[in-house]
Every structure is written in C-alpha cells, then in structure tokens.
Amino acid sequence: MSTRIPLLSGLLCFSFAAMADVPQPGLLYRTLLDSGMALNWMLEGSPALGWRLRVSDADRLLVDADLGACAFCADEEDNCAANGVFLREIAGIDTPLAIAVCHVGAHSQRLHLFDPAFSNEAPAMKITGSFYLDWSIDARRRLLIEWDGEENDIPGCDVETDSSLALAPAQNRLALDSACYRTGSTTD
C-alpha cells in the first residue's frame, strides 16, 4: 500500500502539469504587456456549451465575447501548443489584441482576434484552418497567421494564398502589421 501512494501522487502531479497550459474556466488570469499595461482575462463556459471571453484593464471591460463551442487542449499532438488565450501588443496597432485559439470539429482550429477599437463583442477576425492553423509574433512584432482551407478572404487585409498543390487545401498566410480589418467586416 505504501508504494501505491507515491505512485498515485506522482501521477496526479503529472496530470496537473500537463493541464497547466489549458485555460481554466472561471480562473482570473493577469497578463503584463511589454508596455507595462496589465490586463485581466477570464474564460467561462465549457467545450460543449461554448466559451465566453472577458478581458479588462483597471478601468473598463475591453472584450466580452462569445467564442462558441470549441475545445482547448495542451497535448503535443494536433497543434495544441497554438491553443489558448493570449494578450499581445502588435506593431502598427494602437490597442492590445486578444487572441483565442481553439479546436472546432474533428481536426479544425479557429483563431479569434479581438481588437477593442474594432468591437468589444465581435471578433475583428475569425479564421478557421481545415487541418492546421499556426500563429506567431515575428521580429518586427507583426502577427503571422498561417492556415489551410478555402476561407482565405479577410476584407481589408492582404492574405497570400497558394493553391498550387492540386490535392491539398489552399495554404494561406497573413502578416498583420496594421489594423487592416478595421476597414472591412468580420469574417466567419
């Protein structure tokens, strides 16, 4: 019996460590941005019923939006490392952005980009990759988004699309260095 307790406690510690990157519903997170601005965010709901994201600074609610039904994961497979809620400052955009990435359907990933200057309820951009979606911040502090699938039109923004592979979905790339989406409408 004494050998089972250390084994059980070891497994529990491993389970909590593996789940540490997945946003927990109802937990208030605080993010300190490079500019020194501190933002709070909270995710409420569940994968089956849908998620609601709230982001605020010390004085006001910046984002209060429905993400819909999707799943956050922390596994090493299925590009789960890109999932989560991230608050970032991007060159060329005067407000901090909230980026929420989660899985929808069997294999797709969706990125919601929220810009409080665009709307505090609707995403400025909503991009769904058929089988993959990846994003990063480059050395010039631009948001780089790459995804596959036919959803490749973001009004106001310059999306590079490569459809040269006959049997594969179109490959799309957006280097966001301005609030180009503010001149267009949201995309679904």
Side-chain angles (χ1 to χ4, degrees):
M1 180 131 158
S2 63
T3 59
R4 289 184 186 165
I5 293 174
L7 178 61
L8 180 60
S9 65
L11 287 174
L12 287 174
C13 289
F14 176 74
S15 296
F16 290 126
M19 293 178 5
D21 294 332
V22 177
Q24 300 298 309
L27 184 62
L28 184 66
Y29 292 88
R30 187 172 187 86
T31 301
L32 184 63
L33 301 174
D34 292 338
S35 65
M37 175 185 255
L39 297 177
N40 298 313
W41 64 271
M42 181 181 293
L43 196 61
E44 296 173 331
S46 70
L49 299 175
W51 296 105
R52 180 155 215 84
L53 174 64
R54 290 188 173 88
V55 179
S56 61
D57 65 9
D59 300 321
R60 66 189 190 277
L61 187 63
L62 301 173
V63 175
D64 185 8
D66 182 12
L67 299 180
C70 61
F72 294 93
C73 59
D75 300 334
E76 291 187 24
E77 296 178 15
D78 208 17
N79 199 30
C80 289
N83 280 358
V85 175
F86 309 91
L87 305 180
R88 298 289 189 265
E89 292 171 309
I90 307 298
I93 300 176
D94 54 353
T95 55
L97 304 177
I99 302 165
V101 182
C102 56
H103 277 77
V104 291
H107 300 287
S108 300
Q109 262 180 304
R110 179 170 293 149
L111 179 141
H112 297 85
L113 181 124
F114 294 98
D115 179 347
F118 178 83
S119 172
N120 70 344
E121 294 178 357
M125 292 190 311
K126 187 166 37 170
I127 299 172
T128 304
S130 297
F131 292 97
Y132 85 90
L133 182 140
D134 202 12
W135 70 275
S136 62
I137 306 293
D138 72 3
R140 293 172 42 197
R141 291 186 46 232
R142 295 180 305 173
L143 175 64
L144 299 177
I145 307 169
E146 296 179 306
W147 70 99
D148 68 336
E150 298 308 314
E151 181 186 317
N152 52 21
D153 182 36
I154 299 170
C157 298
D158 184 23
V159 176
E160 298 172 25
T161 300
D162 180 4
S163 300
S164 62
L165 300 172
L167 298 177
Q171 308 299 302
N172 307 295
R173 184 172 194 269
L174 171 63
L176 191 66
D177 59 358
S178 70
C180 55
Y181 50 77
R182 290 183 189 168
T183 60
S185 61
T186 60
T187 181
D188 203 0

